[in-house]
């Protein structure tokens, strides 16, 4: 028996597809989203419609973003769902979600983020946070733990800081491999993100906050005296009342905000070409680290 086939559709490895088939889990996820008629709902990666159908039953209308042309075609010709769907056959990483939003109807985004690109996709979606009411995503359990982590633990990192600066993060439920077909090698979890209506003491430049986080967590085992040496001197850290002997996971979000504002006001010298290349490699490595075990993660269908 081919356990990679579900409802007549073969799971495609290049899209990391694992089909959600557990009715109880599906019901719990939809309850967590709590869709209602008239809301501006958007699903990323609807696939075979495991979540799409029950959401439409409650809300009536739905926009979906699907990259797989075969699955998009299937939805476009679905005998029951097609009339209530607006289908965008495109890459969610490149999609302008602001096109779907309005002041009267902020976006409610949900679905599975392909795990191999989960971090960049989350960062992309956060650029539209002012137009979003909330987001519910299926992710690898370890990624959700990173998003929700606080200081002084190994899970705390760039993803924690950048997400928590912009949103409230609520882990909702955990989902085991048996809920999928074929079963993945990792556990999954649902996370709820609610963009802050107002950010207290916002940073002067969010890109500076990202820069500080990249510098810190690319060398997280070192003290910040060493991780920040290209950005901030030990004397400057002392002026900010930040202990240079601490490690990156020991600093709070507020301290990272303070560091970000400092480098905006005191930009470091332009790095030589070799150093720029090294920093670019580190940035790629950090993005890869954020997407833990990306090749074995499930895609909700």
């Amino acid at each position: 028996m081919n356990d990679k086939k579900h409802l007549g559709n073969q799971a495609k490895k290049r899209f990391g597809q694992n089909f959600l088939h557990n009715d109880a889990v599906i019901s719990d996820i939809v309850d967590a989203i709590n869709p209602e008629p008239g809301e501006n709902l958007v699903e990323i990666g609807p696939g075979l419609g495991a979540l799409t159908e029950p959401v439409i039953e409650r809300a009536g209308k739905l926009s979906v973003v699907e990259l797989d042309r075969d699955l998009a075609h299937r939805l476009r010709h679905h005998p029951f769902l097609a009339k209530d769907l607006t289908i965008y056959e495109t890459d969610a990483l490149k999609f302008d979600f602001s096109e779907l939003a309005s002041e009267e109807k902020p976006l409610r985004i949900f679905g599975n983020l392909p795990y191999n690109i989960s971090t960049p996709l989350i960062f992309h979606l956060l650029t539209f946070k002012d137009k979003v009411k909330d987001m519910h995503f299926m992710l690898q359990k370890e990624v959700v733990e990173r998003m929700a982590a606080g200081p002084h633990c190994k899970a705390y990192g760039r993803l924690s800081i950048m997400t928590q600066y912009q949103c409230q993060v609520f882990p909702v439920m955990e989902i085991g491999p048996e809920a999928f077909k074929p079963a993945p090698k990792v556990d999954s979890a649902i996370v709820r993100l609610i963009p802050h209506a107002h950010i207290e003491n916002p940073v002067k430049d969010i890109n500076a906050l990202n820069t500080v986080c990249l510098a810190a967590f690319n060398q997280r085992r070192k003290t910040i005296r060493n991780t920040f040496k290209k950005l901030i001197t030990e004397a400057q850290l002392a002026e900010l009342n930040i202990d240079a002997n601490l490690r990156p996971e020991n600093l709070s979000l507020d301290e990272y905000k303070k560091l970000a504002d400092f480098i905006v006001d005191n930009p470091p010298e332009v790095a030589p070409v070799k150093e720029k290349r090294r920093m670019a490699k580190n940035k790629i490595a950090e993005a890869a680290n954020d997407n833990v075990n990306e090749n074995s993660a499930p895609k909700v269908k």
Side-chain angles (χ1 to χ4, degrees):
M1 183 176 179
N2 184 359
D3 66 353
K4 293 185 178 180
K5 201 165 189 177
H6 183 57
L7 297 180
N9 196 83
Q10 183 79 16
K12 296 177 182 176
K13 186 175 180 180
R14 70 180 184 275
F15 291 134
Q17 293 173 345
N18 294 72
F19 302 114
L20 183 62
H21 67 87
N22 186 301
D23 290 339
V25 170
I26 292 169
S27 179
D28 287 343
I29 294 171
V30 176
D31 284 344
I33 298 169
N34 191 28
E36 296 184 357
E39 292 183 323
N40 195 351
L41 290 148
V42 181
E43 181 179 9
I44 295 175
L48 296 175
L51 298 177
T52 311
E53 185 169 352
V55 167
I56 284 180
E57 286 179 359
R58 295 199 193 186
K61 297 288 183 180
L62 178 63
S63 297
V64 298
V65 180
E66 176 58 69
L67 179 60
D68 186 329
R69 67 175 64 183
D70 293 331
L71 295 177
H73 179 270
R74 182 183 181 120
L75 288 172
R76 195 172 285 117
H77 295 85
H78 195 287
F80 308 114
L81 302 180
K83 63 182 177 57
D84 297 316
L85 287 175
T86 301
I87 301 170
Y88 297 88
E89 188 178 327
T90 187
D91 186 347
L93 262 176
K94 301 175 181 179
F95 186 65
D96 183 0
F97 286 85
S98 66
E99 293 181 0
L100 308 183
S102 67
E103 290 185 9
E104 299 78 20
K105 290 188 176 183
L107 298 174
R108 300 197 67 209
I109 305 174
F110 69 95
N112 170 256
L113 303 189
Y115 290 11
N116 59 332
I117 57 166
S118 61
T119 296
L121 187 46
I122 288 168
F123 277 63
H124 176 63
L125 290 164
L126 287 174
T127 64
F128 306 103
K129 63 183 180 298
D130 293 341
K131 301 181 183 300
V132 172
K133 179 180 179 180
D134 60 19
M135 296 181 277
H136 294 80
F137 297 130
M138 173 86 76
L139 293 167
Q140 186 176 338
K141 177 183 172 182
E142 192 169 345
V143 174
V144 173
E145 290 173 346
R146 288 186 177 202
M147 295 174 75
H152 313 299
C153 72
K154 291 182 180 180
Y156 183 67
R158 181 176 74 115
L159 186 59
S160 319
I161 293 163
M162 297 302 295
T163 306
Q164 292 172 32
Y165 172 70
Q166 300 174 84
C167 296
Q168 292 176 279
V169 181
F170 301 101
V172 175
M173 60 183 289
E174 297 178 7
I175 301 168
E178 66 280 357
F180 300 89
K181 186 176 181 180
K185 298 179 181 179
V186 297
D187 289 331
S188 303
I190 298 292
V191 66
R192 177 183 295 122
L193 303 177
I194 302 178
H196 296 304
H198 173 72
I199 297 177
E200 292 187 10
N201 303 316
V203 293
K204 296 178 180 179
D205 182 355
I206 194 170
N207 293 318
L209 180 60
N210 190 51
T211 296
V212 169
C213 291
L214 282 169
F217 293 102
N218 277 332
Q219 304 178 75
R220 63 182 303 142
R221 294 183 179 180
K222 295 185 177 181
T223 63
I224 60 173
R225 172 191 291 108
N226 294 314
T227 59
F228 290 141
K229 63 184 179 181
K230 299 294 182 181
L231 297 175
I232 305 169
T233 67
E234 186 172 348
Q236 290 169 330
L237 287 170
E239 291 176 12
L240 295 172
N241 295 316
I242 295 177
D243 185 351
N245 295 310
L246 295 175
R247 298 189 188 279
E249 67 264 25
N250 300 131
L251 300 186
S252 68
L253 172 57
D254 285 339
E255 287 172 315
Y256 276 103
K257 288 162 64 175
K258 188 186 296 185
L259 291 166
D261 286 345
F262 181 86
I263 69 168
V264 170
D265 295 334
N266 304 273
E269 295 181 6
V270 177
V273 173
K274 287 185 178 180
E275 178 63 18
K276 284 184 177 180
R277 289 174 181 169
R278 185 189 68 78
M279 292 175 68
K281 288 180 180 179
N282 284 343
K283 186 172 182 179
I284 293 171
E286 174 65 18
N289 287 338
D290 281 338
N291 292 307
V292 200
N293 298 328
E294 57 191 33
N295 293 327
S296 58
K299 181 171 177 59
V300 182
K301 297 299 176 192

